[in-house]
Amino acid sequence: MAREQLGVLNALDIAKTQWYHFTAIVIAGMGFFTDAYDLFCISLVTKLLGRIYYTDYNSEKPGTLPPNVAAAVNGVALCGTLAGQLFFGWLGDKLGRKKVYGITLLLMVVCSLASGLSFGSTPVGTIITLCFFRFWLGFGIGGDYPLSATIMSEYANKKTRGAFIAAVFAMQGFGILAGGIVALIVSSAFDHKFKAPPYSVNRHDSLAPQADYIWRIILMFGALPAALTYYWRMKMPETARYTALVAKNAKQAAADMAKVLHVDLEAEEEKVQKLAADRSNSFGLFSKEFAKRHGLHLLGTTTTWFLLDIAFYSQNLFQKDIFTAINWIPKAAEMNAIHEVYRIARAQTLIALCSTVPGYWFTVFLIDYMGRFAIQLMGFFFMTVFMFALAIPYHHWTLKPNRIGFVIMYSLTFFFANFGPNATTFVVPAEIFPARLRSTCHGISAAAGKAGAIVGAFGFLYAAQSKDKSKTDAGYPPGIGVKNSLLALGVINFFGMLFTLLVPESKGKSLEELTGENEENGEEMQGADTARTVPV
């Protein structure tokens, strides 16, 4: 039998959209803006790092990062993010969302600055220092995932909750765009100030000494948005759902939300004590009861996020290699070091502006109408279609007249990733698990995603290499080529469609209705799966 909803939680569920919702979106969203900037800006400067630290002037090609170094530079932040998602997700349920929220931001500010100040008397020393600080930067970023999602879901009303959580995540698109714009501005300024010939004309002079400042400025800029939101993050009250349902403090929950909602709320201490006494809703993560109620849901959220991130991160981190493969960016020897950064940044900015950012906001505007399940299934379907459409006639797309077509098709895979599973895999785990396990389960789901990102980042480095040994990048063994890599990503997206069938629809329901926390005497949760007719 359903128990009457706590008044403070009901007030949040039915609250009209007001200023505090937008404040919460901006405060949580700026963390995601910084996350995306910090994670993806590295792809803009890896070619430059290769030129600065690994150029052999006897070679006909400029230097590139050796395979193990490139894998470390690209992947170490993702490893830190995975660890941070698990650790801070667990901590957010143990200590409260707010207590942990500031720590993640401070880590991001300090480690962004430290990454740009990486020092060393040798190339290896500089790269090791950079990787050390990028790991801890990733650790802070990882904490932002479960905490931001959980805070936003627990603050939102049930009618527009999906849009609010998706809006926080959509700031990631602006972070990727900002990375491209900052790199464009910095590289353009340096390119005009310090004129240098292409590598093929003069190998030594193609690398201006001042180029070393470029990657440092780009990496350090990530500290700015995080620092600007620290004060406001510390001013946010703890969420009422944590205070009432986990900390069992009805008085504090009512007082906090009365200030936020500008209404009088009763402290229902008797109801909270009844909830505390009901042992049927106190099962742990590793219990049979959790496996029975939420086991398939956790399997669904982890597998879909894992599969999505293999495709999404391999595309994002290595789009510069794909653009080079289709000759959209000139060969490295035809440019000087600074101009290469400019061309890579221009390509990434164009993709972000035309497909990445719009895709996120389509989700924000439509998620509470279409539902999470439909958007995720549709996104995986179209990603599969466009990957195969790129891969099967791959030679056709490499021909000069067809390159713009390739870029359009490639952009559409980004669009449907973001108007699709890249947003919904973030939203759903913040809604369907109990309050005392919500941050932990979101952290586990997100960590599965980062495991996929690591597979994508490391695997694509090797897989996308040409089958012809003479055409591979320095130090790499022959791979399966870009065509077969795109085919593999298409298959991965198809499996993402299948595992989406395990994920419940959460549109329009209160969090307690979804998780069964309003049920007396352990009545099994019904609401989550009856909202859609697809069998699980």
Side-chain angles (χ1 to χ4, degrees):
M1 190 178 79
R3 169 190 289 121
E4 187 185 345
Q5 172 87 312
L6 282 172
V8 65
L9 305 187
N10 187 55
L12 283 167
D13 278 341
I14 63 172
K16 290 182 178 178
T17 300
Q18 50 192 280
W19 184 247
Y20 86 90
H21 286 123
F22 295 108
T23 306
I25 288 169
V26 171
I27 294 168
M30 285 309 289
F32 263 86
F33 176 97
T34 309
D35 296 349
Y37 181 96
D38 287 333
L39 284 177
F40 292 113
C41 70
I42 196 68
S43 67
L44 297 164
V45 298
T46 48
K47 295 266 190 184
L48 179 62
L49 289 170
R51 287 204 189 220
I52 293 170
Y53 296 111
Y54 292 92
T55 291
D56 175 5
Y57 290 110
N58 295 317
S59 171
E60 292 183 5
K61 293 181 182 178
T64 57
L65 295 177
N68 59 331
V69 176
V73 169
N74 280 304
V76 71
L78 300 178
C79 296
T81 303
L82 188 156
Q85 286 163 336
L86 293 172
F87 177 72
F88 286 114
W90 168 78
L91 208 61
D93 283 333
K94 290 295 176 190
L95 301 182
R97 289 52 159 139
K98 185 197 169 177
K99 282 184 181 176
V100 187
Y101 211 24
I103 301 170
T104 62
L105 212 58
L106 278 178
L107 257 177
M108 287 153 62
V109 171
V110 171
C111 292
S112 287
L113 293 172
S115 295
L117 297 172
S118 296
F119 54 86
S121 57
T122 64
V124 172
T126 304
I127 295 295
I128 288 173
T129 311
L130 173 63
C131 288
F132 173 81
F133 288 122
R134 286 211 36 100
F135 175 85
W136 290 108
L137 172 65
F139 194 70
I141 289 170
D144 233 40
Y145 276 73
L147 294 170
S148 290
T150 301
I151 285 170
M152 200 64 244
S153 74
E154 292 180 347
Y155 263 106
N157 62 53
K158 63 183 179 182
K159 186 178 176 184
T160 56
R161 185 179 61 238
F164 290 156
I165 306 172
V168 169
F169 194 63
M171 295 298 283
Q172 197 177 62
F174 289 124
I176 295 170
L177 182 62
I181 291 170
V182 170
L184 272 176
I185 293 168
V186 174
S187 60
S188 182
F190 274 76
D191 203 16
H192 281 87
K193 177 72 174 172
F194 307 105
K195 301 287 185 185
Y199 185 85
S200 57
V201 174
N202 188 317
R203 295 176 185 180
H204 283 85
D205 291 349
S206 70
L207 177 62
Q210 294 82 3
D212 192 54
Y213 293 116
I214 293 175
W215 69 270
R216 296 177 185 276
I217 292 168
I218 291 169
L219 295 188
M220 291 171 75
F221 186 84
L224 187 61
L228 290 174
T229 49
Y230 180 77
Y231 171 77
W232 299 107
R233 199 172 266 203
M234 291 298 91
K235 293 269 287 181
M236 287 179 82
E238 181 58 87
T239 71
R241 285 184 159 89
Y242 182 87
T243 308
L245 298 176
V246 183
K248 313 295 185 191
N249 188 335
K251 191 174 180 182
Q252 188 65 49
D256 286 343
M257 290 307 104
K259 288 179 189 172
V260 167
L261 296 168
H262 304 295
V263 294
D264 291 326
L265 291 169
E266 183 187 347
E268 300 165 295
E269 295 187 38
E270 196 174 316
K271 278 190 189 177
V272 169
Q273 292 311 314
K274 279 186 181 178
L275 280 171
D278 185 359
R279 305 306 299 168
S280 66
N281 272 321
S282 60
F283 53 85
L285 180 66
F286 299 106
S287 65
K288 286 183 180 177
E289 188 65 22
F290 179 87
K292 179 180 168 186
R293 292 196 190 193
H294 300 290
L296 282 178
H297 299 156
L298 188 58
L299 177 64
T301 58
T302 51
T303 49
T304 51
W305 208 335
F306 173 78
L307 293 166
L308 176 273
D309 271 9
I310 292 176
F312 186 74
Y313 275 81
S314 60
Q315 280 178 267
N316 250 309
L317 287 169
F318 304 106
Q319 58 181 269
K320 63 186 183 303
D321 299 309
I322 289 174
F323 290 145
T324 303
I326 63 160
N327 300 316
W328 205 47
I329 293 175
K331 288 183 168 53
E334 296 171 13
M335 298 177 282
N336 66 51
I338 298 173
H339 191 67
E340 185 176 33
V341 177
Y342 173 82
R343 294 297 289 261
I344 292 167
R346 192 176 70 171
Q348 180 165 310
T349 304
L350 192 62
I351 291 289
L353 196 60
C354 296
S355 62
T356 306
V357 172
Y360 281 115
W361 290 96
F362 265 73
T363 302
V364 172
F365 293 127
L366 294 174
I367 192 167
D368 288 310
Y369 297 98
M370 291 177 64
R372 289 71 161 148
F373 178 78
I375 287 177
Q376 184 161 313
L377 198 66
M378 175 198 70
F380 270 128
F381 172 77
F382 281 111
M383 287 172 73
T384 306
V385 168
F386 286 118
M387 282 294 184
F388 285 140
L390 287 172
I392 294 167
Y394 180 69
H395 177 69
H396 167 82
W397 297 117
T398 62
L399 302 175
K400 193 167 186 178
N402 306 321
R403 286 176 197 159
I404 297 301
F406 181 97
V407 173
I408 291 169
M409 297 276 279
Y410 188 66
S411 298
L412 284 169
T413 64
F414 276 107
F415 176 81
F416 282 106
N418 296 313
F419 181 32
N422 194 38
T424 54
T425 52
F426 177 80
V427 172
V428 174
E431 299 180 308
I432 62 174
F433 299 108
R436 69 188 175 283
L437 299 171
R438 185 169 291 135
S439 180
T440 302
C441 289
H442 195 284
I444 292 168
S445 303
K450 281 300 164 284
I454 292 164
V455 171
F458 290 129
F460 203 85
L461 266 172
Y462 292 89
Q465 294 297 319
S466 172
K467 294 179 185 178
D468 183 349
K469 188 163 177 57
S470 65
K471 295 181 180 176
T472 60
D473 289 339
Y476 286 88
I480 60 174
V482 174
K483 174 178 179 172
N484 290 330
S485 297
L486 290 171
L487 277 172
L489 293 176
V491 172
I492 286 165
N493 289 326
F494 175 75
F495 278 104
M497 267 198 298
L498 298 183
F499 280 103
T500 294
L501 300 177
L502 297 176
V503 181
E505 179 57 76
S506 48
K507 180 180 78 170
K509 293 180 178 291
S510 78
L511 296 179
E512 289 67 47
E513 189 181 353
L514 284 162
T515 61
E517 287 168 289
N518 265 358
E519 307 298 337
E520 285 191 272
N521 304 320
E523 183 181 325
E524 287 187 29
M525 182 185 68
Q526 298 292 329
D529 287 323
T530 55
R532 61 178 174 82
T533 57
V534 179
V536 173

